[in-house]
Amino acid sequence: MLLIGPEAERRFGYRHFMDLTAVFTAAPEFTVLAGRTEIGTTNPALLTEEVVGPRRLLPAGQSWQVTYIDWSRRRCFVEPVDGGGKARWGGAASGRTASYELTRAAREVLLGVDPPVALTGRAKTALTQARESSSELVHPDGTMVVRGGCGTSVRWWTWAGYRANATLAATLTTIADPLQRPTDTCIRLREDATPAEWRKVISEAADQLCLPAVDARALNGLKFNAALPTRLAEATLAARLADLDGATAALRGPTRFTVLGQ
């Protein structure tokens, strides 16, 4: 049995424990400030993903460089720069990403399955163009590992959804690019990854899946984090980010290797 003690009273008792009883269903976002001027809001994923060099955002149609992040108050302070800003908008699946089921449904449409709705002429044209542009990224018999035409960028097109891909990136650390943010459709591999190395790594990966890594600073935004041991709070966030079933399905399915343009 857990009881409210003196420390919990001190931390949460203000305003009749409102922090413990209030519930908000909107996706958390950070307010972006240039000095005292509010520029807009940004997806917290842009503040936690690994980046090379300074972190830059693109609110209000302009690039800004992050100078300080106030995690507890969900505020991000920036200064203007010439370019390089990034933006990300939320989806309907889990606040900002697509699920395994939704992403696989999109794959089926790209492979030729017509959606069960009436399509306008413009929609039919757009669908044809999407299928043509994605023809080397989807295959009916399994997933695709595609090397860019210039011989560099290597991506595994899993079509498994963001949470499954985040799980795969955390599991395949020996061949996955560590400086990446997985997407709904693919993860980036090391440029020197070979098919032989790939098969060796994934042969055992399905039986030893890892949860996605959690930025320790993001714990400040977890509800009740003050009442949780750090290890338990990290495990809670990691479990929310993972899709073990989707990752397992991608690992156990057949995979084809191809080079764009060949």
Side-chain angles (χ1 to χ4, degrees), residues 104-113 131 134-135 137-142:
R104 297 294 287 185
R107 171 181 175 272
E108 294 301 317
V109 171
L110 292 175
L111 286 171
V113 175
R131 286 169 172 165
S134 303
S135 61
L137 308 179
V138 293
H139 192 275
D141 294 333

Side-chain angles (χ1 to χ4, degrees), residues 24-227:
F24 299 92
T25 58
E29 289 192 332
F30 278 66
T31 301
V32 181
L33 299 165
R36 296 185 177 182
T37 302
E38 181 174 333
I39 306 301
T41 60
T42 187
N43 192 310
L46 290 173
L47 304 178
T48 58
E49 66 182 0
E50 294 288 339
V51 295
V52 178
R55 191 180 302 276
R56 295 184 174 182
L57 308 176
L58 190 66
Q62 181 179 342
S63 292
W64 306 82
Q65 184 164 309
V66 176
T67 58
Y68 177 73
I69 302 174
D70 185 341
W71 295 97
S72 61
R73 302 176 68 184
R74 295 190 176 277
R75 292 185 176 184
C76 171
F77 294 87
V78 298
E79 61 184 16
V81 289
D82 292 334
K86 295 176 63 177
R88 182 171 294 129
W89 290 270
S94 61
R96 58 179 180 273
T97 59
S99 65
Y100 176 88
E101 292 78 12
L102 181 59
T103 310
R104 297 294 287 185
R107 171 181 175 272
E108 294 301 317
V109 171
L110 292 175
L111 286 171
V113 175
D114 290 327
V117 294
L119 300 177
T120 64
R122 181 182 298 179
K124 292 179 181 178
T125 299
L127 185 55
T128 299
Q129 294 173 345
R131 286 169 172 165
E132 292 175 351
S133 63
S134 303
S135 61
E136 294 182 292
L137 308 179
V138 293
H139 192 275
D141 294 333
T143 60
M144 303 283 292
V145 175
V146 179
R147 183 178 295 275
C150 60
T152 55
S153 174
V154 181
R155 297 177 186 272
W156 181 20
W157 292 87
T158 65
W159 298 90
Y162 173 77
R163 294 194 299 127
N165 283 343
T167 305
L168 292 169
T171 302
L172 306 176
T173 54
T174 58
I175 59 173
D177 187 338
L179 297 177
Q180 69 167 307
R181 180 183 184 273
T183 69
D184 298 334
T185 55
C186 69
I187 64 172
R188 191 168 64 244
L189 305 180
R190 290 198 338 258
E191 294 179 2
D192 60 348
T194 64
E197 184 181 10
W198 161 267
R199 294 187 180 96
K200 180 180 179 181
V201 172
I202 68 169
S203 62
E204 299 179 351
D207 297 322
Q208 49 187 7
L209 291 174
C210 299
L211 297 179
V214 173
D215 191 310
R217 297 169 298 179
L219 297 181
N220 293 325
L222 178 66
K223 194 173 181 64
F224 311 136
N225 73 305

